[in-house]
Amino acid sequence: MTGDGVGKRKATQSTEAIEEQTLQTGKRVCGRLQRQQPSMFDRRWLDNRIMNWAMADESVKVQLFRFVDVLPMLRNHETLNRHLHEYFEDVQQHLPWAARMALHVTDGNRILGRALAINARSNARRMAERFIAGSNADEIIQSVMKIRDAGFATTLDRLGEAVLSHQEAEAYQQSYLDLIEKLAPRLETLREASQIDSNHLGPIPRANVSLKLSALDGDFNPIDPAGTTKRVLKRLRPILQAAIEHDVFVNVDMEQYDYKDLTYQIFKTALMEPEFAGYPHVGIVCQAYLKEAEEDLQSLLEWTKKRGTSITVRLVKGAYWDYETVIAGLRNWPVPVFEQKAETDANFESLTEFLFENYDWLSPAIGSHNLRSVSHALAVAKELSVPKDAFEIQMLYGMGQEEAQAFSEMGYRVRVYAPFGELIPGMAYLVRRLLENTSNDSFLRQSYQEERSIEELMMSPQKMIDKTKSAPAPELPFMNEPLTDFGQTENQEAMQAALKSVREECGLEYPIVISGKAYETRQMLNSRCPFDREIIVGRVSSATPELANDAIDAARRTFSTWSAIDADHRAEYVELIARGLQERRLELASWIIYESGKPWIDADADVAEAIDFCRYYAESMRQMDHSLEADLPGEENEYFYRPRGVAVIISPWNFPLAILTGMTAAAIVTGNTVVMKPAEQSPVIAAKLMEIIRATGIPDGVVNYLPGIGEEIGPELVSSPDVDIVAFTGSREVGLEINQKAAESTPAHNSVKRVIAEMGGKNAIIVDDDADLDEAVHGVVASAFGYSGQKCSACSRVIVLQSVYEEFCTRLKAAVETLQIGPSDNPGTKVGPVIDKAAQEQIEHYLELGREEAELLVGIEVPGKLKKQGCYVGPHVFTNVTSSDRLAREEIFGPVLVVIKAKDFSEAIKFANDTDFALTGGVYSRSPVNLKRARTEFRVGNLYLNRPCTGALVFRQPFGGFRMSGIGTKAGGPDYLHEFLIPINITENTLRRGFAPEEQTSK
């Protein structure tokens, strides 16, 4: 080791020399490539023609790659042929003549359709074989031998389904242990090839594997770094031990940005352990498209020096660009990747220089098919006098073979990144590779299809940045409050501090607040923590019927003055409430965790949604605050809105802040006054909201805080003739009772009450026979067991087509068994407690019913210590259930899921609609026809296609159902405020004695 590596940033001092050398290298390689293009008798010639054809038309390319993606699930000729027609009929005018004819003649012809299906599957398999090295040990070893015979080294990476359970993680680990055991001894028997079997320091391992740390854990969770690290290390250590025993190189791959920091952390933790600290044959990936990549490399360098043993860094551009930009946009988070390809290319070159300056600590592995990028790396190495064998070039199996051959012939070590695994499940990998190399900015596309000059292709990316500007990101009229990124260490620490602070404040007393005055009562609501019943979150005064009437009177008295305040001023108050929520965000999330038992992410989302409601309704009210005029000579017509009066807000415990805030904000921004009655289980969170409301300076009496027992004060609130609106969220039984009571009138009533009620659901997700089961299993588990199934939008029925039923159930069972049950303040908890003992007993009653009438697929037992401490019910899944069974019809507010088998998509839709409710639903399908059918035939208020059926956001997914799921319109949508307003029309006859006033014209 030389300590500090080669002189700092020497490369930047010789830019001109490096540029000249880069161009010369590129020209030299291009000359070789032109002589090595495959002939028409080479199988790759046809593959390249297909690629060029696909690249020529974007619509065809998208449909082709989507078809390749769905192909693994098309298990018979009929479904495959049907999907060919569904995917390509709309773009057939862009297809070659032969392909158009094939679609035409096979439409309805079973014999020709079968032939077309066989041909399509054969072609896809042949394409997959080009990019995948084998599916079993013999095929893999055979491919490795062929690659070595061609003069290349290899690294092997296992493909396959996403890891959704500990069982699948165990299988992933075992596949690497088996591969090391079989491959390494075989390679050691071969004659040495010095160019690929040694570096500047001596021999290097011939066997080289690449693995993903996330695949070593069924619940790789960046929010729980300690728990995840412990589980991953348990499976990683045996692989590292086997690697040392058999002299195998182990490389850790990098995936999506969410996993990056934890992946680096686990890598460093493992390799600082005494058993592994001295082993140099390990490496990790750095993705140049990440804006943090330079910081990551600097951190790796410092850590490696501390470790005292070098590592390898595989430098790549990054394969998840679309995913990262889309996900960041959906979450309203900063985009972690560069948004111009030229910026990524420039960063790649900068990081290349960094690696070569420190090659004795961070051995460079340049992973790219971009001739400019690789040529630049070779030029930097030459300028810095880095030995040829101190680094290597890495390329993908099946791509750029001629380019790889050229670099090998120039004396460089070229390593082929070769994925292995089942061919058909590996299609997702194939699609990503094809997309990566057929994008508009792809070097391969530009060089082979667009016939650009070598000077243009080899232009410095820095010059390209200067010439181009990033397209502005699309902006919606309303941007949602971003969720907290708990994958960031600073946010984890801030949340832990907030939880500690709130825990110290538990047990305080909170009064009723009417017209600004505090009222204490003898009867108290003792709010207990669901995951630890010994913790009293707070003691809250419980209102009497007399106090309920006092609160209504206060709201009635305040109404005339509050409704007279202009809408913009009212909106400002509501925006101040939003600001107060933002300032106390983690504190409020902590109260939700302790009082309602929500896990971290759900609790934070509750606060974010409350903020969204305030901001969205304030903005909506401003837009509505103008009259619609239809004036004619002699007649003026004005249409506008007035508030209804006093609103009683009755909120649930499962969204104790968001729904309470949303209904209250809607009422007051429209000019109504409010009596705010929270659920008995969550009065403390409501008290915190009241503190924030009062801190805005809103006039006393506009909002009145009235905690109490529903059976005691509910009748007074609902039946009072001075109440104009009842906004309720809760069970169907209570909602229907409120609707009935509110409809009753006496001589004291001077209006019919407006009832707005959201009353739950029995929500279904359909899994089609062509669904991506990775996504479907993950989405169903998240929808069914998130917040212990206590969301009104939760999936409680999953309807699976019979051809994938067994496979889906097998994977679902394993995924559910992986769910971590525990207290809500633990960041690793996926399934926390249910709200209270009454809920626990009711859910357990249904579990008994399920054991009698259905078949238990999986039931997770709660550890005795947890069950003794809190109100827990483990996740349960029942099969052999029909759509008419009680388990499939009655709302069970807990972690209970039933699986129903359907013979086809039509029957699945029928089962999904066979319920009194119509709130949310979901479909996992890759059939354009079935997705279109779902839009029109699946009768629910919120339908989600190929995503979980929970997690609606204000404005983007206005929330609410119909039938027995709701009365009124959708919360968080453009119509919601209308529920709190009365439309008024005024017409004035301006004709006087035969003349009309002249129209006023603006000057």
Side-chain angles (χ1 to χ4, degrees):
M1 295 293 172
T2 60
D4 294 327
V6 182
K8 298 297 179 187
R9 313 309 292 165
K10 180 180 176 184
T12 58
Q13 300 169 12
S14 310
T15 303
E16 291 185 8
I18 290 175
E19 278 300 309
E20 178 61 29
Q21 181 64 38
T22 299
L23 182 59
Q24 292 306 317
T25 300
K27 287 182 176 180
R28 183 179 172 189
V29 174
C30 272
R32 291 173 181 263
L33 294 180
Q34 290 171 357
R35 296 193 296 273
Q36 294 178 0
Q37 288 297 305
S39 72
M40 65 181 296
F41 301 104
D42 189 323
R43 195 180 79 176
R44 288 177 296 124
W45 179 83
L46 178 59
D47 291 344
N48 290 345
R49 288 292 301 271
I50 293 173
M51 291 276 284
N52 286 341
W53 163 69
M55 287 187 289
D57 189 285
E58 192 67 22
S59 63
V60 172
K61 170 183 153 181
V62 168
Q63 294 303 87
L64 175 65
F65 292 168
R66 284 180 173 175
F67 176 75
V68 171
D69 179 54
V70 74
L71 183 60
M73 296 302 294
L74 308 181
R75 302 178 187 193
N76 57 58
H77 301 314
E78 289 77 12
T79 57
L80 198 153
N81 190 50
R82 174 169 61 85
H83 280 74
L84 276 170
H85 283 82
E86 287 185 24
Y87 276 86
F88 293 107
E89 277 182 353
D90 288 345
V91 297
Q92 60 179 301
Q93 67 272 22
H94 301 289
L95 299 178
W97 175 85
R100 293 200 304 272
M101 182 61 67
L103 284 177
H104 178 70
V105 300
T106 59
D107 191 11
N109 188 311
R110 297 188 65 181
I111 296 176
L112 292 177
R114 178 186 176 89
L116 177 64
I118 292 173
N119 188 53
R121 191 183 297 278
S122 173
N123 287 337
R125 178 176 286 276
R126 181 171 55 80
M127 182 72 79
E129 288 172 348
R130 172 175 171 177
F131 298 98
I132 299 173
S135 58
N136 56 53
D138 291 339
E139 291 175 354
I140 296 164
I141 291 173
Q142 185 179 4
S143 294
V144 169
M145 296 306 175
K146 286 182 180 179
I147 294 169
R148 278 186 64 88
D149 289 345
F152 307 129
T154 58
T155 184
L156 294 167
D157 168 52
R158 182 191 167 184
L159 295 174
E161 299 161 317
V163 169
L164 299 174
S165 67
H166 294 319
Q167 180 181 326
E168 293 176 0
E170 293 284 351
Y172 184 86
Q173 178 209 40
Q174 191 60 48
S175 69
Y176 276 92
L177 293 174
D178 292 344
L179 180 65
I180 290 171
E181 186 75 30
K182 293 176 182 177
L183 180 63
R186 180 74 180 273
L187 291 179
E188 287 305 313
T189 65
L190 302 178
R191 186 173 59 187
E192 181 184 359
S194 58
Q195 185 170 325
I196 59 174
D197 291 338
S198 61
N199 64 13
H200 63 301
L201 299 176
I204 59 175
R206 299 180 183 185
N208 186 307
V209 297
S210 295
L211 55 83
K212 299 174 181 65
L213 295 188
S214 68
L216 291 174
D217 185 23
D219 182 25
F220 194 87
N221 186 1
I223 300 176
D224 180 27
T228 303
T229 299
K230 181 179 179 181
R231 294 189 299 272
V232 171
L233 287 178
K234 183 179 178 181
R235 296 192 178 102
L236 178 61
R237 289 189 188 103
I239 294 175
L240 292 175
Q241 289 163 350
I244 293 173
E245 179 185 349
H246 293 283
D247 191 30
V248 174
F249 186 100
V250 176
N251 188 81
V252 171
D253 276 340
M254 200 63 65
E255 301 171 85
Q256 60 262 45
Y257 176 73
D258 285 350
Y259 291 176
K260 174 181 71 73
D261 288 348
L262 185 53
T263 298
Y264 277 129
Q265 177 185 316
I266 296 173
F267 175 81
K268 293 174 182 178
T269 300
L271 294 172
M272 286 297 280
E273 293 182 356
E275 186 177 5
F276 311 122
Y279 193 59
H281 303 309
V282 293
I284 195 165
V285 166
C286 178
Q287 298 162 307
Y289 66 5
L290 291 178
K291 297 172 184 177
E292 298 172 358
E294 185 174 357
E295 297 173 31
D296 294 333
L297 277 190
Q298 186 63 52
S299 175
L300 269 178
L301 177 62
E302 294 169 3
W303 169 81
T304 306
K305 290 179 178 179
K306 182 179 178 182
R307 178 177 183 248
T309 307
S310 66
I311 65 168
T312 295
V313 172
R314 176 193 292 157
L315 183 63
V316 300
K317 301 288 176 69
Y320 295 83
W321 188 89
D322 282 344
Y323 174 88
E324 300 295 1
T325 53
V326 169
I327 291 298
L330 291 175
R331 294 172 175 171
N332 199 13
W333 286 358
V335 178
V337 297
F338 292 108
E339 295 176 68
Q340 288 186 50
K341 184 181 183 299
E343 292 177 299
T344 294
D345 290 343
N347 197 44
F348 189 92
E349 295 189 1
S350 176
L351 300 177
T352 297
E353 294 176 11
F354 181 92
L355 288 175
F356 280 115
E357 289 167 0
N358 298 281
Y359 75 91
D360 45 4
W361 289 107
L362 304 177
S363 177
I366 305 302
S368 178
H369 285 267
N370 185 304
L371 183 56
R372 158 75 200 193
S373 298
V374 180
S375 297
H376 172 266
L378 303 184
V380 172
K382 185 173 183 180
E383 182 68 22
L384 295 176
S385 301
V386 176
K388 259 189 176 182
D389 51 1
F391 65 96
E392 65 186 37
I393 300 164
Q394 294 194 358
M395 293 188 170
L396 296 169
Y397 181 73
M399 281 191 161
Q401 185 173 328
E402 294 80 13
E403 194 177 348
Q405 192 70 46
F407 288 122
S408 178
E409 291 173 0
M410 292 165 66
Y412 295 100
R413 181 169 67 255
V414 176
R415 187 173 304 278
V416 173
Y417 184 94
F420 69 93
E422 294 296 327
L423 290 183
I424 298 301
M427 288 295 182
Y429 169 87
L430 171 61
V431 169
R432 194 159 70 243
R433 292 281 81 86
L434 294 174
L435 285 170
E436 201 176 326
N437 291 288
T438 60
S439 67
N440 289 333
D441 291 329
S442 160
F443 185 89
L444 291 180
R445 174 171 182 155
Q446 292 173 359
S447 55
Y448 291 120
Q449 191 188 47
E450 299 178 6
E451 300 179 355
R452 297 170 64 183
S453 69
I454 184 63
E455 288 79 12
E456 198 175 357
L457 288 168
M458 299 297 289
M459 182 183 294
S460 166
Q462 195 62 51
K463 293 181 180 178
M464 298 295 292
I465 294 171
D466 294 339
K467 290 182 177 181
T468 58
K469 294 181 179 179
S470 296
E475 287 194 14
L476 296 174
F478 178 81
M479 298 300 291
N480 295 91
E481 179 74 8
L483 299 179
T484 301
D485 182 2
F486 287 119
Q488 302 297 317
T489 303
E490 60 270 24
N491 291 335
Q492 294 172 14
E493 293 173 349
M495 190 69 204
Q496 294 284 13
L499 283 165
K500 183 175 183 293
S501 176
V502 164
R503 177 66 183 87
E504 293 170 354
E505 292 185 27
C506 284
L508 298 179
E509 294 188 358
Y510 300 89
I512 294 163
V513 180
I514 298 174
S515 197
K517 296 178 181 178
Y519 293 82
E520 295 179 351
T521 60
R522 286 184 181 179
Q523 186 176 359
M524 304 288 282
L525 299 173
N526 289 329
S527 176
R528 293 184 180 273
C529 174
F531 59 82
D532 186 347
R533 301 295 291 172
E534 295 297 315
I535 298 175
I536 295 179
V537 181
R539 302 177 191 276
V540 183
S541 291
S542 182
T544 61
E546 292 75 22
L547 285 172
N549 282 313
D550 289 346
I552 295 169
D553 289 343
R556 175 60 63 190
R557 289 194 305 272
T558 314
F559 172 67
S560 59
T561 54
W562 176 246
S563 60
I565 295 175
D566 65 88
D568 185 64
H569 198 181
R570 296 195 304 264
E572 286 179 3
Y573 277 115
V574 173
E575 287 169 338
L576 286 174
I577 296 171
R579 191 177 305 167
L581 295 169
Q582 286 174 317
E583 291 170 353
R584 298 175 62 176
R585 178 166 180 165
L586 293 185
E587 176 210 340
L588 292 167
S590 298
W591 285 112
I592 293 169
I593 288 169
Y594 276 108
E595 191 169 41
S596 285
K598 285 197 170 187
W600 281 27
I601 292 178
D602 287 314
D604 177 70
D606 204 313
V607 185
E609 187 175 15
I611 295 167
D612 281 345
F613 277 131
C614 290
R615 292 177 47 244
Y616 180 69
Y617 291 151
E619 189 175 310
S620 298
M621 189 63 238
R622 288 193 178 98
Q623 293 173 2
M624 293 172 63
D625 185 36
H626 64 275
S627 60
L628 300 177
E629 297 177 356
D631 295 343
L632 296 168
E635 180 179 283
E636 294 178 354
N637 296 289
E638 183 182 12
Y639 183 94
F640 61 96
Y641 299 99
R642 284 180 181 157
R644 290 183 176 273
V646 174
V648 166
I649 306 298
I650 304 174
S651 68
W653 50 262
N654 64 333
F655 285 84
L657 185 65
I659 292 179
L660 177 62
T661 303
M663 294 192 293
T664 301
I668 62 176
V669 81
T670 48
N672 302 282
T673 52
V674 167
V675 176
M676 194 168 70
K677 193 272 174 201
E680 291 98 305
Q681 297 92 335
S682 55
V684 174
I685 299 163
K688 298 299 173 182
L689 173 61
M690 190 64 191
E691 290 174 5
I692 291 170
I693 291 172
R694 296 189 70 188
T696 66
I698 200 166
D700 292 338
V702 172
V703 178
N704 303 275
Y705 170 60
L706 193 78
I709 297 172
E711 290 84 349
E712 295 180 4
I713 62 173
E716 298 293 331
L717 296 174
V718 173
S719 301
S720 172
D722 289 322
V723 170
D724 302 280
I725 308 167
V726 178
F728 166 81
T729 299
S731 69
R732 174 172 68 173
E733 290 71 25
V734 176
L736 293 178
E737 185 180 352
I738 287 174
N739 190 50
Q740 182 180 0
K741 291 288 185 184
E744 294 174 357
S745 62
T746 68
H749 287 75
N750 59 14
S751 67
V752 177
K753 289 186 179 67
R754 169 72 74 176
V755 174
I756 310 160
E758 193 270 283
M759 301 183 295
K762 190 66 180 174
N763 312 300
I765 290 178
I766 295 172
V767 179
D768 202 354
D769 57 8
D770 65 353
D772 183 331
L773 292 189
D774 290 349
E775 295 293 332
V777 172
H778 172 77
V780 168
V781 170
S783 300
F785 303 114
Y787 189 33
S788 301
Q790 296 177 117
K791 299 178 182 179
C792 49
S793 57
C795 171
S796 58
R797 300 176 296 150
V798 56
I799 302 164
V800 186
L801 268 66
Q802 60 185 6
S803 62
V804 294
Y805 180 85
E806 295 299 333
E807 183 181 355
F808 176 85
C809 287
T810 298
R811 298 197 69 199
L812 175 66
K813 179 178 184 291
V816 172
E817 289 172 339
T818 302
L819 293 171
Q820 183 173 332
I821 303 173
S824 307
D825 60 346
N826 183 336
T829 291
K830 287 298 179 67
V831 180
V834 296
I835 190 63
D836 57 21
K837 285 293 182 184
Q840 180 183 351
E841 291 170 1
Q842 186 175 24
I843 298 164
E844 288 175 344
H845 167 74
Y846 278 106
L847 295 182
E848 287 300 317
L849 178 67
R851 292 185 183 97
E852 293 172 5
E853 298 184 353
E855 184 177 333
L856 182 65
L857 177 70
V858 57
I860 307 301
E861 291 301 318
V862 179
K865 182 181 177 183
L866 283 179
K867 199 152 191 175
K868 191 178 295 184
Q869 197 172 37
C871 307
Y872 289 93
V873 178
H876 283 68
V877 181
F878 291 95
T879 57
N880 196 24
V881 178
T882 69
S883 63
S884 61
D885 291 343
R886 285 183 61 193
L887 285 179
R889 301 191 70 82
E890 297 178 14
E891 186 175 33
I892 308 169
F893 225 54
V896 182
L897 175 69
V898 299
V899 187
I900 301 171
K901 185 190 298 185
K903 64 182 180 183
D904 54 30
F905 195 77
S906 294
E907 186 172 68
I909 288 282
K910 177 177 177 293
F911 289 163
N913 288 332
D914 188 15
T915 174
D916 296 336
F917 298 97
L919 187 56
T920 71
V923 176
Y924 281 90
S925 175
R926 287 179 285 191
S927 163
V929 168
N930 285 348
L931 290 174
K932 185 176 181 180
R933 284 189 63 191
R935 288 172 181 269
T936 57
E937 297 177 30
F938 197 163
R939 295 191 295 274
V940 287
N942 285 65
L943 178 62
Y944 299 95
L945 306 179
N946 291 314
R947 56 147 284 176
C949 68
T950 59
L953 294 176
V954 172
F955 172 73
R956 278 159 56 179
Q957 295 107 18
F959 187 77
F962 53 99
R963 297 171 74 174
M964 287 298 177
S965 284
I967 306 167
T969 190
K970 289 180 175 293
D975 304 315
Y976 190 67
L977 293 188
H978 291 275
E979 298 287 337
F980 295 84
L981 293 164
I982 300 170
I984 301 295
N985 193 87
I986 296 176
T987 299
E988 181 182 356
N989 173 19
T990 59
L991 191 66
R992 295 290 187 272
R993 301 293 182 181
F995 71 92
E998 293 183 9
E999 291 186 18
Q1000 298 295 317
T1001 57
S1002 57
K1003 295 182 179 180

